[in-house]
Amino acid sequence: MVKRVAVTGAAGQIGYSLLPRIATGEIFGPETQVRLQCLELTPALESLKGVAMELDDCAFPLLTETVCTDNLEEAFEGADLVLLVGSKPRSAGMERKDLLLDNGPIFTGQGKAIEAAAGPNVRVVVVGNPCNTNCLIAMNNAKSVPADRWTAMTQLDHNRAQAQLALKAGVDSTEVKNIVIWGNHSNTQFPDWSHATIGGKPAADVIGDDAWLKNIFIPTVQERGKAIIEARGKSSAMSAGSAALDHARYLFQGTPDGEWTSIAIVSDGKYGVPEGLICSVPVTCPGDGTYKVVEGLEFSDFGQDKFQKSIDELSAERDTVSGLL
Ligand code: NAX
């Protein structure tokens, strides 16, 4: 069976790093053919055509077809997976609140079109920022699509946290397991090391430097996107595309035994997150498109306070966009 993957903002920089990796089977495995359904704004269609030509030139064995369109329903038609990447970037001096209101209408329209056109088992991953609240908007504009189909990406933050601990401990990143990103994909997120292990031992014991964890590790992960922009002159794209693949691969191929990842999902009230918010929590994925929240993790007072700040931000964002829900 051919899996249909819709990607919005496909001519952008994340799209450019994401599309070839979808086409090589990284999400659905090396046996499954894929059809790419790329959505762009009309002025970017010519550039998208160039990307599609390059995809042709790669002669990927699993890629059956690349659709390029500015029509929402054509892009989402029968989709098994929708990656909502495209959105307006934040311009200099723009407040987060203005960005939310600017991008909101994109996600009302995309939510409605997903409801109208996507496949019956569609999974949605929102990458375009502010991704938690954009996901909230799309989900609320597609009420017949079950709420557990909608996710937003904090996998990049998860991967960044894993890498920072590995660098500090001087080990391979695969030695670091079970970080949690709690909250919003913003600089209020709480990258939590307290349940993580490094080489099978508690991460806090291996690092042995509480001040570093609290005062260096947390802001480094929170502000990593800004640091990349300062160094590269452009926002993260390779790492963001890679994280989107990880996120989708975990959904469709599962998380490794004994490990979890972080995904922003709709809250049912667990961990004190108000119902209906799209909040990042630890989840395990069996590999059939579903996920299960890891329950029973405890917080220190320090951690609880950090998480609450991010929950409060998500609640305020929901208030800001209430007219779009
Ligand atoms: P680019 O500006 O390179 O590409 C965005 C593309 O989206 C453009 O080609 C544009 O024409 C298209 N687009 C805009 N509005 C659209 C619409 N309504 N329908 C279809 N296409 C539309 O940005 P890029 O670097 O690819 O980043 C894309 C989004 O990812 C941004 O919102 C960015 O903030 C967000 N990010 C999210 C991350 C996360 O961890 N969740 C990390 C990376 C990234 O910052």
Side-chain angles (χ1 to χ4, degrees):
M1 202 192 32
V2 180
K3 294 286 186 188
R4 293 179 171 224
V5 184
V7 180
T8 72
Q13 47 156 9
I14 294 178
Y16 194 74
S17 78
L18 187 58
L19 295 172
R21 294 182 61 185
I22 302 172
T24 52
E26 285 196 42
I27 295 177
F28 293 103
E31 309 294 330
T32 307
Q33 291 184 309
V34 291
R35 180 179 201 258
L36 289 172
Q37 303 180 173
C38 302
L39 181 77
E40 256 302 345
L41 297 174
T42 312
L45 278 179
E46 191 57 27
S47 156
L48 181 60
K49 197 171 127 195
V51 175
M53 287 161 70
E54 284 206 66
L55 286 165
D56 284 346
D57 295 349
C58 293
F60 288 122
L62 294 176
L63 181 61
T64 61
E65 193 181 353
T66 305
V67 175
C68 298
T69 181
D70 58 359
N71 180 290
L72 291 168
E73 294 196 8
E74 188 184 352
F76 299 143
E77 181 67 46
D80 299 287
L81 169 66
V82 176
L83 295 160
L84 297 179
V85 180
S87 64
K88 281 188 210 164
R90 191 165 169 168
S91 46
M94 192 180 200
E95 295 291 325
R96 191 173 170 85
K97 194 174 167 187
D98 297 329
L99 183 69
L100 273 168
L101 291 172
D102 234 26
N103 273 315
I106 296 177
F107 291 86
T108 57
Q110 293 185 348
K112 289 187 172 89
I114 287 170
E115 182 174 48
N121 293 313
V122 67
R123 266 36 188 198
V124 183
V125 181
V126 182
V127 175
N129 279 324
C131 63
N132 298 55
T133 297
N134 288 341
C135 181
L136 180 82
I137 295 169
M139 179 183 78
N140 277 282
N141 281 275
K143 293 267 164 50
S144 70
V145 179
D148 63 2
R149 308 293 178 79
W150 302 85
T151 61
M153 186 174 96
T154 48
Q155 184 70 50
L156 178 55
D157 310 296
H158 186 101
N159 292 351
R160 286 167 170 167
Q162 186 178 342
Q164 289 303 316
L165 289 186
L167 282 169
K168 179 72 175 169
V171 300
D172 193 279
S173 67
T174 55
E175 296 287 316
V176 181
K177 300 193 194 312
N178 295 348
I179 293 281
V180 186
I181 303 296
W182 299 98
N184 201 0
H185 170 68
S186 75
N187 58 12
T188 67
Q189 67 176 263
F190 173 39
D192 183 4
W193 65 88
S194 55
H195 312 285
T197 57
I198 301 178
K201 301 191 186 96
D205 293 352
V206 176
I207 299 293
D209 186 345
D210 203 46
W212 180 86
L213 286 164
K214 287 181 174 157
N215 304 324
I216 307 290
F217 168 73
I218 293 179
T220 299
V221 177
Q222 290 172 331
E223 302 289 347
R224 186 71 167 174
K226 200 168 144 216
I228 302 277
I229 294 176
E230 280 164 10
R232 207 172 84 90
K234 291 180 189 163
S235 57
S236 332
M238 182 211 303
S239 54
S242 196
L245 285 167
D246 289 341
H247 176 135
R249 190 186 66 251
Y250 288 140
L251 283 177
F252 290 103
Q253 296 191 52
T255 41
D257 281 348
E259 289 182 42
W260 63 63
T261 193
S262 304
I263 299 187
I265 55 157
V266 65
S267 173
D268 63 1
K270 287 189 186 73
Y271 291 112
V273 181
E275 258 181 66
L277 288 184
I278 301 287
C279 182
S280 181
V281 292
V283 298
T284 54
C285 307
D288 58 359
T290 66
Y291 58 77
K292 195 168 176 304
V293 176
V294 177
E295 294 189 61
L297 300 181
E298 290 183 359
F299 289 90
S300 62
D301 290 346
F302 172 87
Q304 189 67 60
D305 181 57
K306 290 270 174 219
F307 186 24
Q308 191 58 48
K309 287 200 168 72
S310 204
I311 294 172
D312 292 346
E313 183 183 53
L314 285 169
S315 296
E317 289 187 7
R318 177 162 66 180
D319 292 345
T320 302
V321 302
S322 58
L324 301 173
L325 304 180

